[in-house]
Amino acid sequence: MKNLRNAFKQLDHDNTGYLTTENVEIALRQMSIPEQEINDIFKSLKHGSVDDKINYSTFLAATIDRKKTLTLQNLQFAFHHFDTTSQGHITKEDIKEVFRREGRTVSQEELDEMFGQSYVITFDHFTKTMTELLNMEN
C-alpha cells in the first residue's frame, strides 16, 4: 500500500490529488506491466473516474491485487482511511467527509444502505463486509 501511495504522489505532478488516465497509462507501460493487467486496471478506473480525473481511492481500488487485499494490515489501512475522526469506528459523517475530500457527494439513501440499522461501522463489520465484497468479485 505504501508503494501505491508513493506511486500516486509521483504521478500527481501538480499535487491536485488527481491523476489523468493518460498519466497512469504512461506510468504502467514504463513499469512493463502486462497489457492484460493494464486493460483490467483501466476497466476499474473507468468506474471511479470523473472527467478523466482519478482520485487516490479509485487508483488504489484499481491497482491492488485483490488476492492480497484481505491482510489484516491492508484492512486496517483501509478502515483508517474511512475513520476520519480516528474514533475506532466509521460514522455516516466520516463517509460524507471522505466523499467531500474526493469532490463527490453521497446521498442519504446510499448512507442508509451502507449502515442499515447501525449508527457506526466497527472494524469487525468492515472486515466482514470487505471480505464478502471481494469474494463476490472473484
Side-chain angles (χ1 to χ4, degrees):
M1 292 286 206
K2 191 178 232 180
N3 289 340
L4 289 174
R5 185 180 312 156
N6 290 338
F8 184 89
K9 287 179 181 179
Q10 288 177 347
L11 293 171
D12 184 15
H13 302 291
D14 51 0
N15 293 318
T16 61
Y18 292 94
L19 306 177
T20 65
T21 52
E22 181 181 337
N23 287 350
V24 174
E25 183 175 10
I26 290 167
L28 293 174
R29 293 194 190 291
Q30 288 174 346
M31 294 167 42
S32 301
I33 304 240
E35 190 68 30
Q36 183 57 48
E37 198 169 328
I38 291 173
N39 291 338
D40 291 344
I41 290 170
F42 271 94
K43 284 179 192 171
S44 296
L45 287 174
K46 287 181 183 177
H47 293 295
S49 64
V50 177
D51 298 331
D52 196 39
K53 292 181 179 179
I54 302 161
N55 61 36
Y56 179 68
S57 295
T58 301
F59 175 79
L60 186 64
T63 55
I64 57 173
D65 181 346
R66 283 175 169 73
K67 292 179 183 129
K68 295 179 183 174
T69 301
L70 295 177
T71 67
L72 181 60
Q73 181 180 9
N74 289 347
L75 286 168
Q76 288 171 333
F77 175 82
F79 183 82
H80 181 69
H81 175 73
F82 290 103
D83 180 13
T84 61
T85 55
S86 299
Q87 293 182 335
H89 58 261
I90 300 168
T91 65
K92 290 180 182 181
E93 292 304 314
D94 288 327
I95 298 295
K96 287 180 189 177
E97 175 61 18
V98 169
F99 273 71
R100 186 197 63 75
R101 289 178 186 173
E102 296 178 358
R104 301 171 75 184
T105 58
V106 59
S107 71
Q108 187 61 45
E109 289 105 15
E110 291 170 315
L111 288 170
D112 291 344
E113 186 177 328
M114 282 183 224
F115 283 79
Q117 299 298 319
S118 302
Y119 291 103
V120 298
I121 296 174
T122 64
F123 180 70
D124 288 340
H125 182 236
F126 179 81
T127 301
K128 180 181 176 196
T129 301
M130 292 303 295
T131 302
E132 290 170 359
L133 288 172
L134 290 170
N135 286 335
M136 284 174 37
E137 291 181 7
N138 291 331

